[in-house]
Amino acid sequence: ALALEIGSYVAPKYGIGDAQGYRREVWDSIFVPLRLRGVTSWSENEGWEHGGKSLLQYVYSSLDLRCTFSDAFADAVIEITTHPVFFHLIKSLTFITIIMAVSEVSARRKTELTPRGVPK
């Protein structure tokens, strides 16, 4: 995110565009719309406004997590996990879990091991 913000200051100097347009395109490329029926229903009904529906109909249509192009559960899972925000969140959580597991396993292998520089 920091590199992209710096790019918004450098881009106008090279004739790529203005800073606001650059930021808007970066935002649109990072936060692409999810193609889930509940999300599209929410955005078509002006967000928190109900769009003339009853509250119960609105809640049921917002909780519909099927894809707009398929009824398969696997397609919905793929759509969510490949969204850039969720993908990076899953990737970072997986990475930190592996790091913590490896460090715990290696630290517990030798119980008499002390940290370097700390007397026993």
Side-chain angles (χ1 to χ4, degrees):
L2 179 62
L4 296 173
E5 181 63 28
I6 291 171
S8 71
Y9 293 110
V10 175
K13 294 180 181 177
Y14 291 98
I16 296 175
D18 61 338
Q20 192 64 23
Y22 183 83
R23 282 191 192 109
R24 186 172 52 263
E25 288 191 28
V26 166
W27 180 268
D28 291 342
S29 66
I30 292 175
F31 297 102
V32 296
L34 275 170
R35 296 178 297 176
L36 300 176
R37 293 179 188 174
V39 175
T40 56
S41 168
W42 186 80
S43 62
E44 287 172 358
N45 292 324
E46 294 88 29
W48 298 110
E49 306 297 323
H50 300 290
K53 293 181 179 179
S54 71
L55 182 61
L56 190 59
Q57 288 175 336
Y58 176 71
V59 169
Y60 283 142
S61 67
S62 296
L63 293 177
D64 188 5
L65 295 179
R66 294 176 295 165
C67 285
T68 56
F69 55 88
S70 172
D71 284 337
F73 177 73
D75 289 334
V77 170
I78 291 170
E79 179 68 25
I80 292 171
T81 57
T82 57
H83 189 270
V85 175
F86 296 122
F87 174 77
H88 290 297
L89 177 68
I90 292 168
K91 187 169 117 176
S92 65
L93 289 175
T94 303
F95 179 73
I96 196 66
T97 302
I98 291 170
I99 296 295
M100 293 301 291
V102 167
S103 66
E104 283 292 322
V105 167
S106 64
R108 293 175 191 263
R109 283 183 65 210
K110 297 181 181 178
T111 57
E112 298 296 321
L113 195 60
T114 61
R116 185 178 289 180
V118 178
K120 221 175 181 184

PDB file of all heavy atoms in Angstrom, residues 78-112:
ATOM      1  N   ILE A  78     -14.306 -20.255  -4.260  1.00  0.00           N
ATOM      2  CA  ILE A  78     -13.225 -19.755  -5.114  1.00  0.00           C
ATOM      3  C   ILE A  78     -13.340 -18.243  -5.293  1.00  0.00           C
ATOM      4  O   ILE A  78     -12.342 -17.523  -5.252  1.00  0.00           O
ATOM      5  CB  ILE A  78     -13.234 -20.488  -6.473  1.00  0.00           C
ATOM      6  CG1 ILE A  78     -12.809 -21.932  -6.281  1.00  0.00           C
ATOM      7  CG2 ILE A  78     -12.339 -19.792  -7.486  1.00  0.00           C
ATOM      8  CD1 ILE A  78     -13.008 -22.810  -7.493  1.00  0.00           C
ATOM      9  N   GLU A  79     -14.556 -17.745  -5.464  1.00  0.00           N
ATOM     10  CA  GLU A  79     -14.764 -16.298  -5.631  1.00  0.00           C
ATOM     11  C   GLU A  79     -14.304 -15.534  -4.389  1.00  0.00           C
ATOM     12  O   GLU A  79     -13.660 -14.491  -4.497  1.00  0.00           O
ATOM     13  CB  GLU A  79     -16.241 -16.017  -5.910  1.00  0.00           C
ATOM     14  CG  GLU A  79     -16.581 -14.569  -6.087  1.00  0.00           C
ATOM     15  CD  GLU A  79     -16.003 -13.949  -7.337  1.00  0.00           C
ATOM     16  OE1 GLU A  79     -15.728 -14.661  -8.311  1.00  0.00           O
ATOM     17  OE2 GLU A  79     -15.820 -12.717  -7.326  1.00  0.00           O
ATOM     18  N   ILE A  80     -14.606 -16.044  -3.226  1.00  0.00           N
ATOM     19  CA  ILE A  80     -14.213 -15.363  -1.989  1.00  0.00           C
ATOM     20  C   ILE A  80     -12.711 -15.467  -1.757  1.00  0.00           C
ATOM     21  O   ILE A  80     -12.055 -14.470  -1.431  1.00  0.00           O
ATOM     22  CB  ILE A  80     -14.999 -15.929  -0.791  1.00  0.00           C
ATOM     23  CG1 ILE A  80     -16.472 -15.555  -0.918  1.00  0.00           C
ATOM     24  CG2 ILE A  80     -14.443 -15.419   0.527  1.00  0.00           C
ATOM     25  CD1 ILE A  80     -17.380 -16.227   0.060  1.00  0.00           C
ATOM     26  N   THR A  81     -12.141 -16.655  -1.925  1.00  0.00           N
ATOM     27  CA  THR A  81     -10.719 -16.828  -1.616  1.00  0.00           C
ATOM     28  C   THR A  81      -9.789 -16.193  -2.638  1.00  0.00           C
ATOM     29  O   THR A  81      -8.626 -15.948  -2.324  1.00  0.00           O
ATOM     30  CB  THR A  81     -10.354 -18.318  -1.474  1.00  0.00           C
ATOM     31  OG1 THR A  81     -10.706 -19.009  -2.667  1.00  0.00           O
ATOM     32  CG2 THR A  81     -11.039 -18.927  -0.282  1.00  0.00           C
ATOM     33  N   THR A  82     -10.263 -15.915  -3.840  1.00  0.00           N
ATOM     34  CA  THR A  82      -9.399 -15.259  -4.820  1.00  0.00           C
ATOM     35  C   THR A  82      -9.601 -13.751  -4.865  1.00  0.00           C
ATOM     36  O   THR A  82      -8.907 -13.076  -5.627  1.00  0.00           O
ATOM     37  CB  THR A  82      -9.621 -15.839  -6.233  1.00  0.00           C
ATOM     38  OG1 THR A  82     -10.992 -15.702  -6.591  1.00  0.00           O
ATOM     39  CG2 THR A  82      -9.194 -17.288  -6.287  1.00  0.00           C
ATOM     40  N   HIS A  83     -10.512 -13.227  -4.067  1.00  0.00           N
ATOM     41  CA  HIS A  83     -10.649 -11.775  -3.958  1.00  0.00           C
ATOM     42  C   HIS A  83      -9.362 -11.247  -3.329  1.00  0.00           C
ATOM     43  O   HIS A  83      -8.860 -11.816  -2.355  1.00  0.00           O
ATOM     44  CB  HIS A  83     -11.865 -11.436  -3.088  1.00  0.00           C
ATOM     45  CG  HIS A  83     -12.200  -9.994  -3.088  1.00  0.00           C
ATOM     46  ND1 HIS A  83     -11.663  -9.124  -2.178  1.00  0.00           N
ATOM     47  CD2 HIS A  83     -13.015  -9.263  -3.887  1.00  0.00           C
ATOM     48  CE1 HIS A  83     -12.139  -7.921  -2.411  1.00  0.00           C
ATOM     49  NE2 HIS A  83     -12.951  -7.976  -3.449  1.00  0.00           N
ATOM     50  N   PRO A  84      -8.769 -10.167  -3.857  1.00  0.00           N
ATOM     51  CA  PRO A  84      -7.449  -9.727  -3.381  1.00  0.00           C
ATOM     52  C   PRO A  84      -7.358  -9.509  -1.876  1.00  0.00           C
ATOM     53  O   PRO A  84      -6.371  -9.907  -1.256  1.00  0.00           O
ATOM     54  CB  PRO A  84      -7.214  -8.424  -4.141  1.00  0.00           C
ATOM     55  CG  PRO A  84      -8.015  -8.557  -5.373  1.00  0.00           C
ATOM     56  CD  PRO A  84      -9.220  -9.359  -4.996  1.00  0.00           C
ATOM     57  N   VAL A  85      -8.353  -8.918  -1.262  1.00  0.00           N
ATOM     58  CA  VAL A  85      -8.284  -8.640   0.176  1.00  0.00           C
ATOM     59  C   VAL A  85      -8.296  -9.944   0.965  1.00  0.00           C
ATOM     60  O   VAL A  85      -7.462 -10.159   1.851  1.00  0.00           O
ATOM     61  CB  VAL A  85      -9.449  -7.729   0.594  1.00  0.00           C
ATOM     62  CG1 VAL A  85      -9.470  -7.541   2.097  1.00  0.00           C
ATOM     63  CG2 VAL A  85      -9.346  -6.386  -0.108  1.00  0.00           C
ATOM     64  N   PHE A  86      -9.218 -10.830   0.654  1.00  0.00           N
ATOM     65  CA  PHE A  86      -9.298 -12.100   1.371  1.00  0.00           C
ATOM     66  C   PHE A  86      -8.118 -12.995   1.059  1.00  0.00           C
ATOM     67  O   PHE A  86      -7.634 -13.720   1.927  1.00  0.00           O
ATOM     68  CB  PHE A  86     -10.612 -12.816   1.051  1.00  0.00           C
ATOM     69  CG  PHE A  86     -11.816 -12.067   1.510  1.00  0.00           C
ATOM     70  CD1 PHE A  86     -12.791 -11.687   0.616  1.00  0.00           C
ATOM     71  CD2 PHE A  86     -11.975 -11.726   2.841  1.00  0.00           C
ATOM     72  CE1 PHE A  86     -13.908 -11.000   1.033  1.00  0.00           C
ATOM     73  CE2 PHE A  86     -13.091 -11.032   3.273  1.00  0.00           C
ATOM     74  CZ  PHE A  86     -14.059 -10.664   2.357  1.00  0.00           C
ATOM     75  N   PHE A  87      -7.638 -12.952  -0.179  1.00  0.00           N
ATOM     76  CA  PHE A  87      -6.485 -13.769  -0.561  1.00  0.00           C
ATOM     77  C   PHE A  87      -5.266 -13.397   0.267  1.00  0.00           C
ATOM     78  O   PHE A  87      -4.571 -14.264   0.802  1.00  0.00           O
ATOM     79  CB  PHE A  87      -6.185 -13.611  -2.056  1.00  0.00           C
ATOM     80  CG  PHE A  87      -4.935 -14.308  -2.487  1.00  0.00           C
ATOM     81  CD1 PHE A  87      -4.920 -15.678  -2.659  1.00  0.00           C
ATOM     82  CD2 PHE A  87      -3.771 -13.598  -2.699  1.00  0.00           C
ATOM     83  CE1 PHE A  87      -3.769 -16.337  -3.045  1.00  0.00           C
ATOM     84  CE2 PHE A  87      -2.610 -14.236  -3.088  1.00  0.00           C
ATOM     85  CZ  PHE A  87      -2.613 -15.608  -3.255  1.00  0.00           C
ATOM     86  N   HIS A  88      -4.994 -12.103   0.393  1.00  0.00           N
ATOM     87  CA  HIS A  88      -3.827 -11.676   1.168  1.00  0.00           C
ATOM     88  C   HIS A  88      -4.009 -11.940   2.656  1.00  0.00           C
ATOM     89  O   HIS A  88      -3.033 -12.249   3.359  1.00  0.00           O
ATOM     90  CB  HIS A  88      -3.519 -10.202   0.907  1.00  0.00           C
ATOM     91  CG  HIS A  88      -2.988  -9.968  -0.470  1.00  0.00           C
ATOM     92  ND1 HIS A  88      -1.803 -10.503  -0.906  1.00  0.00           N
ATOM     93  CD2 HIS A  88      -3.481  -9.282  -1.519  1.00  0.00           C
ATOM     94  CE1 HIS A  88      -1.578 -10.153  -2.153  1.00  0.00           C
ATOM     95  NE2 HIS A  88      -2.598  -9.412  -2.553  1.00  0.00           N
ATOM     96  N   LEU A  89      -5.229 -11.843   3.154  1.00  0.00           N
ATOM     97  CA  LEU A  89      -5.495 -12.167   4.548  1.00  0.00           C
ATOM     98  C   LEU A  89      -5.250 -13.658   4.805  1.00  0.00           C
ATOM     99  O   LEU A  89      -4.559 -14.018   5.768  1.00  0.00           O
ATOM    100  CB  LEU A  89      -6.940 -11.801   4.913  1.00  0.00           C
ATOM    101  CG  LEU A  89      -7.364 -12.147   6.328  1.00  0.00           C
ATOM    102  CD1 LEU A  89      -6.615 -11.281   7.330  1.00  0.00           C
ATOM    103  CD2 LEU A  89      -8.851 -11.971   6.486  1.00  0.00           C
ATOM    104  N   ILE A  90      -5.767 -14.511   3.948  1.00  0.00           N
ATOM    105  CA  ILE A  90      -5.568 -15.959   4.100  1.00  0.00           C
ATOM    106  C   ILE A  90      -4.093 -16.306   3.964  1.00  0.00           C
ATOM    107  O   ILE A  90      -3.552 -17.120   4.721  1.00  0.00           O
ATOM    108  CB  ILE A  90      -6.417 -16.721   3.068  1.00  0.00           C
ATOM    109  CG1 ILE A  90      -7.901 -16.557   3.389  1.00  0.00           C
ATOM    110  CG2 ILE A  90      -6.034 -18.193   3.012  1.00  0.00           C
ATOM    111  CD1 ILE A  90      -8.828 -17.013   2.284  1.00  0.00           C
ATOM    112  N   LYS A  91      -3.417 -15.676   3.016  1.00  0.00           N
ATOM    113  CA  LYS A  91      -1.999 -15.942   2.795  1.00  0.00           C
ATOM    114  C   LYS A  91      -1.159 -15.543   4.008  1.00  0.00           C
ATOM    115  O   LYS A  91      -0.287 -16.298   4.448  1.00  0.00           O
ATOM    116  CB  LYS A  91      -1.541 -15.171   1.557  1.00  0.00           C
ATOM    117  CG  LYS A  91      -0.145 -15.468   1.105  1.00  0.00           C
ATOM    118  CD  LYS A  91       0.080 -14.850  -0.248  1.00  0.00           C
ATOM    119  CE  LYS A  91       1.137 -13.811  -0.183  1.00  0.00           C
ATOM    120  NZ  LYS A  91       1.481 -13.231  -1.466  1.00  0.00           N
ATOM    121  N   SER A  92      -1.443 -14.384   4.596  1.00  0.00           N
ATOM    122  CA  SER A  92      -0.665 -13.943   5.754  1.00  0.00           C
ATOM    123  C   SER A  92      -0.954 -14.805   6.979  1.00  0.00           C
ATOM    124  O   SER A  92      -0.042 -15.119   7.751  1.00  0.00           O
ATOM    125  CB  SER A  92      -0.933 -12.475   6.053  1.00  0.00           C
ATOM    126  OG  SER A  92      -2.271 -12.288   6.442  1.00  0.00           O
ATOM    127  N   LEU A  93      -2.222 -15.203   7.180  1.00  0.00           N
ATOM    128  CA  LEU A  93      -2.548 -16.063   8.317  1.00  0.00           C
ATOM    129  C   LEU A  93      -1.907 -17.445   8.173  1.00  0.00           C
ATOM    130  O   LEU A  93      -1.417 -18.012   9.159  1.00  0.00           O
ATOM    131  CB  LEU A  93      -4.059 -16.190   8.458  1.00  0.00           C
ATOM    132  CG  LEU A  93      -4.786 -14.943   8.956  1.00  0.00           C
ATOM    133  CD1 LEU A  93      -6.285 -15.158   8.932  1.00  0.00           C
ATOM    134  CD2 LEU A  93      -4.319 -14.561  10.338  1.00  0.00           C
ATOM    135  N   THR A  94      -1.890 -17.970   6.959  1.00  0.00           N
ATOM    136  CA  THR A  94      -1.238 -19.260   6.727  1.00  0.00           C
ATOM    137  C   THR A  94       0.258 -19.160   6.979  1.00  0.00           C
ATOM    138  O   THR A  94       0.851 -20.027   7.633  1.00  0.00           O
ATOM    139  CB  THR A  94      -1.500 -19.730   5.283  1.00  0.00           C
ATOM    140  OG1 THR A  94      -2.906 -19.799   5.077  1.00  0.00           O
ATOM    141  CG2 THR A  94      -0.866 -21.076   5.023  1.00  0.00           C
ATOM    142  N   PHE A  95       0.878 -18.091   6.513  1.00  0.00           N
ATOM    143  CA  PHE A  95       2.314 -17.898   6.696  1.00  0.00           C
ATOM    144  C   PHE A  95       2.668 -17.794   8.171  1.00  0.00           C
ATOM    145  O   PHE A  95       3.602 -18.451   8.641  1.00  0.00           O
ATOM    146  CB  PHE A  95       2.768 -16.651   5.931  1.00  0.00           C
ATOM    147  CG  PHE A  95       4.228 -16.359   6.071  1.00  0.00           C
ATOM    148  CD1 PHE A  95       5.157 -17.142   5.414  1.00  0.00           C
ATOM    149  CD2 PHE A  95       4.666 -15.309   6.845  1.00  0.00           C
ATOM    150  CE1 PHE A  95       6.508 -16.879   5.538  1.00  0.00           C
ATOM    151  CE2 PHE A  95       6.012 -15.038   6.976  1.00  0.00           C
ATOM    152  CZ  PHE A  95       6.935 -15.831   6.320  1.00  0.00           C
ATOM    153  N   ILE A  96       1.933 -16.984   8.934  1.00  0.00           N
ATOM    154  CA  ILE A  96       2.256 -16.819  10.343  1.00  0.00           C
ATOM    155  C   ILE A  96       1.981 -18.097  11.117  1.00  0.00           C
ATOM    156  O   ILE A  96       2.697 -18.418  12.074  1.00  0.00           O
ATOM    157  CB  ILE A  96       1.541 -15.599  10.968  1.00  0.00           C
ATOM    158  CG1 ILE A  96       2.193 -15.218  12.299  1.00  0.00           C
ATOM    159  CG2 ILE A  96       0.083 -15.854  11.179  1.00  0.00           C
ATOM    160  CD1 ILE A  96       3.584 -14.709  12.189  1.00  0.00           C
ATOM    161  N   THR A  97       0.978 -18.868  10.707  1.00  0.00           N
ATOM    162  CA  THR A  97       0.704 -20.149  11.363  1.00  0.00           C
ATOM    163  C   THR A  97       1.850 -21.131  11.139  1.00  0.00           C
ATOM    164  O   THR A  97       2.271 -21.824  12.074  1.00  0.00           O
ATOM    165  CB  THR A  97      -0.615 -20.741  10.843  1.00  0.00           C
ATOM    166  OG1 THR A  97      -1.667 -19.803  11.088  1.00  0.00           O
ATOM    167  CG2 THR A  97      -0.937 -22.060  11.507  1.00  0.00           C
ATOM    168  N   ILE A  98       2.376 -21.184   9.928  1.00  0.00           N
ATOM    169  CA  ILE A  98       3.511 -22.063   9.648  1.00  0.00           C
ATOM    170  C   ILE A  98       4.737 -21.633  10.438  1.00  0.00           C
ATOM    171  O   ILE A  98       5.430 -22.465  11.040  1.00  0.00           O
ATOM    172  CB  ILE A  98       3.804 -22.097   8.131  1.00  0.00           C
ATOM    173  CG1 ILE A  98       2.675 -22.824   7.398  1.00  0.00           C
ATOM    174  CG2 ILE A  98       5.141 -22.761   7.841  1.00  0.00           C
ATOM    175  CD1 ILE A  98       2.740 -22.694   5.895  1.00  0.00           C
ATOM    176  N   ILE A  99       5.011 -20.337  10.483  1.00  0.00           N
ATOM    177  CA  ILE A  99       6.166 -19.823  11.230  1.00  0.00           C
ATOM    178  C   ILE A  99       6.045 -20.171  12.711  1.00  0.00           C
ATOM    179  O   ILE A  99       7.000 -20.635  13.344  1.00  0.00           O
ATOM    180  CB  ILE A  99       6.297 -18.296  11.037  1.00  0.00           C
ATOM    181  CG1 ILE A  99       6.599 -17.967   9.578  1.00  0.00           C
ATOM    182  CG2 ILE A  99       7.340 -17.705  11.973  1.00  0.00           C
ATOM    183  CD1 ILE A  99       7.927 -18.474   9.085  1.00  0.00           C
ATOM    184  N   MET A 100       4.857 -19.944  13.280  1.00  0.00           N
ATOM    185  CA  MET A 100       4.661 -20.230  14.702  1.00  0.00           C
ATOM    186  C   MET A 100       4.740 -21.733  14.983  1.00  0.00           C
ATOM    187  O   MET A 100       5.306 -22.150  15.999  1.00  0.00           O
ATOM    188  CB  MET A 100       3.315 -19.676  15.177  1.00  0.00           C
ATOM    189  CG  MET A 100       3.244 -18.169  15.163  1.00  0.00           C
ATOM    190  SD  MET A 100       4.484 -17.398  16.200  1.00  0.00           S
ATOM    191  CE  MET A 100       3.917 -17.858  17.802  1.00  0.00           C
ATOM    192  N   ALA A 101       4.196 -22.560  14.110  1.00  0.00           N
ATOM    193  CA  ALA A 101       4.244 -24.010  14.322  1.00  0.00           C
ATOM    194  C   ALA A 101       5.672 -24.534  14.256  1.00  0.00           C
ATOM    195  O   ALA A 101       6.091 -25.336  15.100  1.00  0.00           O
ATOM    196  CB  ALA A 101       3.367 -24.714  13.297  1.00  0.00           C
ATOM    197  N   VAL A 102       6.430 -24.078  13.275  1.00  0.00           N
ATOM    198  CA  VAL A 102       7.813 -24.521  13.145  1.00  0.00           C
ATOM    199  C   VAL A 102       8.637 -24.068  14.345  1.00  0.00           C
ATOM    200  O   VAL A 102       9.439 -24.839  14.898  1.00  0.00           O
ATOM    201  CB  VAL A 102       8.430 -24.021  11.818  1.00  0.00           C
ATOM    202  CG1 VAL A 102       9.936 -24.202  11.803  1.00  0.00           C
ATOM    203  CG2 VAL A 102       7.788 -24.736  10.650  1.00  0.00           C
ATOM    204  N   SER A 103       8.443 -22.842  14.796  1.00  0.00           N
ATOM    205  CA  SER A 103       9.211 -22.361  15.950  1.00  0.00           C
ATOM    206  C   SER A 103       8.827 -23.100  17.223  1.00  0.00           C
ATOM    207  O   SER A 103       9.693 -23.411  18.046  1.00  0.00           O
ATOM    208  CB  SER A 103       9.028 -20.858  16.120  1.00  0.00           C
ATOM    209  OG  SER A 103       7.700 -20.560  16.461  1.00  0.00           O
ATOM    210  N   GLU A 104       7.543 -23.400  17.407  1.00  0.00           N
ATOM    211  CA  GLU A 104       7.117 -24.155  18.590  1.00  0.00           C
ATOM    212  C   GLU A 104       7.673 -25.569  18.575  1.00  0.00           C
ATOM    213  O   GLU A 104       8.179 -26.059  19.586  1.00  0.00           O
ATOM    214  CB  GLU A 104       5.587 -24.190  18.680  1.00  0.00           C
ATOM    215  CG  GLU A 104       4.959 -22.930  19.173  1.00  0.00           C
ATOM    216  CD  GLU A 104       5.264 -22.657  20.630  1.00  0.00           C
ATOM    217  OE1 GLU A 104       5.304 -23.610  21.436  1.00  0.00           O
ATOM    218  OE2 GLU A 104       5.463 -21.482  20.958  1.00  0.00           O
ATOM    219  N   VAL A 105       7.589 -26.227  17.429  1.00  0.00           N
ATOM    220  CA  VAL A 105       8.084 -27.606  17.338  1.00  0.00           C
ATOM    221  C   VAL A 105       9.588 -27.645  17.557  1.00  0.00           C
ATOM    222  O   VAL A 105      10.101 -28.495  18.295  1.00  0.00           O
ATOM    223  CB  VAL A 105       7.697 -28.236  15.978  1.00  0.00           C
ATOM    224  CG1 VAL A 105       8.439 -29.529  15.722  1.00  0.00           C
ATOM    225  CG2 VAL A 105       6.200 -28.453  15.921  1.00  0.00           C
ATOM    226  N   SER A 106      10.318 -26.731  16.941  1.00  0.00           N
ATOM    227  CA  SER A 106      11.774 -26.741  17.102  1.00  0.00           C
ATOM    228  C   SER A 106      12.184 -26.339  18.512  1.00  0.00           C
ATOM    229  O   SER A 106      13.183 -26.830  19.030  1.00  0.00           O
ATOM    230  CB  SER A 106      12.431 -25.830  16.069  1.00  0.00           C
ATOM    231  OG  SER A 106      12.045 -24.494  16.292  1.00  0.00           O
ATOM    232  N   ALA A 107      11.444 -25.478  19.174  1.00  0.00           N
ATOM    233  CA  ALA A 107      11.776 -25.083  20.540  1.00  0.00           C
ATOM    234  C   ALA A 107      11.476 -26.191  21.535  1.00  0.00           C
ATOM    235  O   ALA A 107      12.165 -26.326  22.545  1.00  0.00           O
ATOM    236  CB  ALA A 107      11.001 -23.832  20.922  1.00  0.00           C
ATOM    237  N   ARG A 108      10.465 -27.001  21.267  1.00  0.00           N
ATOM    238  CA  ARG A 108      10.091 -28.071  22.198  1.00  0.00           C
ATOM    239  C   ARG A 108      10.867 -29.366  21.970  1.00  0.00           C
ATOM    240  O   ARG A 108      10.739 -30.299  22.770  1.00  0.00           O
ATOM    241  CB  ARG A 108       8.591 -28.331  22.107  1.00  0.00           C
ATOM    242  CG  ARG A 108       7.786 -27.164  22.625  1.00  0.00           C
ATOM    243  CD  ARG A 108       6.314 -27.385  22.425  1.00  0.00           C
ATOM    244  NE  ARG A 108       5.567 -26.169  22.674  1.00  0.00           N
ATOM    245  CZ  ARG A 108       4.974 -25.885  23.824  1.00  0.00           C
ATOM    246  NH1 ARG A 108       5.063 -26.715  24.823  1.00  0.00           N
ATOM    247  NH2 ARG A 108       4.310 -24.764  23.952  1.00  0.00           N
ATOM    248  N   ARG A 109      11.644 -29.438  20.925  1.00  0.00           N
ATOM    249  CA  ARG A 109      12.419 -30.665  20.674  1.00  0.00           C
ATOM    250  C   ARG A 109      13.494 -30.861  21.722  1.00  0.00           C
ATOM    251  O   ARG A 109      13.735 -31.964  22.173  1.00  0.00           O
ATOM    252  CB  ARG A 109      13.054 -30.611  19.289  1.00  0.00           C
ATOM    253  CG  ARG A 109      12.040 -30.899  18.188  1.00  0.00           C
ATOM    254  CD  ARG A 109      12.652 -30.922  16.831  1.00  0.00           C
ATOM    255  NE  ARG A 109      13.600 -32.041  16.725  1.00  0.00           N
ATOM    256  CZ  ARG A 109      14.670 -32.017  15.949  1.00  0.00           C
ATOM    257  NH1 ARG A 109      14.942 -30.964  15.221  1.00  0.00           N
ATOM    258  NH2 ARG A 109      15.451 -33.059  15.891  1.00  0.00           N
ATOM    259  N   LYS A 110      14.158 -29.776  22.116  1.00  0.00           N
ATOM    260  CA  LYS A 110      15.211 -29.856  23.134  1.00  0.00           C
ATOM    261  C   LYS A 110      14.738 -29.069  24.350  1.00  0.00           C
ATOM    262  O   LYS A 110      14.737 -27.836  24.337  1.00  0.00           O
ATOM    263  CB  LYS A 110      16.522 -29.295  22.597  1.00  0.00           C
ATOM    264  CG  LYS A 110      17.079 -30.073  21.432  1.00  0.00           C
ATOM    265  CD  LYS A 110      18.379 -29.482  20.969  1.00  0.00           C
ATOM    266  CE  LYS A 110      18.906 -30.257  19.777  1.00  0.00           C
ATOM    267  NZ  LYS A 110      20.148 -29.688  19.276  1.00  0.00           N
ATOM    268  N   THR A 111      14.369 -29.773  25.387  1.00  0.00           N
ATOM    269  CA  THR A 111      13.795 -29.101  26.560  1.00  0.00           C
ATOM    270  C   THR A 111      14.835 -28.372  27.390  1.00  0.00           C
ATOM    271  O   THR A 111      14.507 -27.421  28.090  1.00  0.00           O
ATOM    272  CB  THR A 111      13.071 -30.123  27.456  1.00  0.00           C
ATOM    273  OG1 THR A 111      13.987 -31.143  27.839  1.00  0.00           O
ATOM    274  CG2 THR A 111      11.890 -30.729  26.730  1.00  0.00           C
ATOM    275  N   GLU A 112      16.084 -28.772  27.330  1.00  0.00           N
ATOM    276  CA  GLU A 112      17.141 -28.142  28.125  1.00  0.00           C
ATOM    277  C   GLU A 112      17.805 -26.970  27.396  1.00  0.00           C
ATOM    278  O   GLU A 112      18.796 -26.428  27.862  1.00  0.00           O
ATOM    279  CB  GLU A 112      18.205 -29.181  28.494  1.00  0.00           C
ATOM    280  CG  GLU A 112      17.682 -30.305  29.351  1.00  0.00           C
ATOM    281  CD  GLU A 112      17.201 -29.804  30.710  1.00  0.00           C
ATOM    282  OE1 GLU A 112      17.865 -28.914  31.282  1.00  0.00           O
ATOM    283  OE2 GLU A 112      16.161 -30.284  31.170  1.00  0.00           O
TER     284      GLU A 112
END
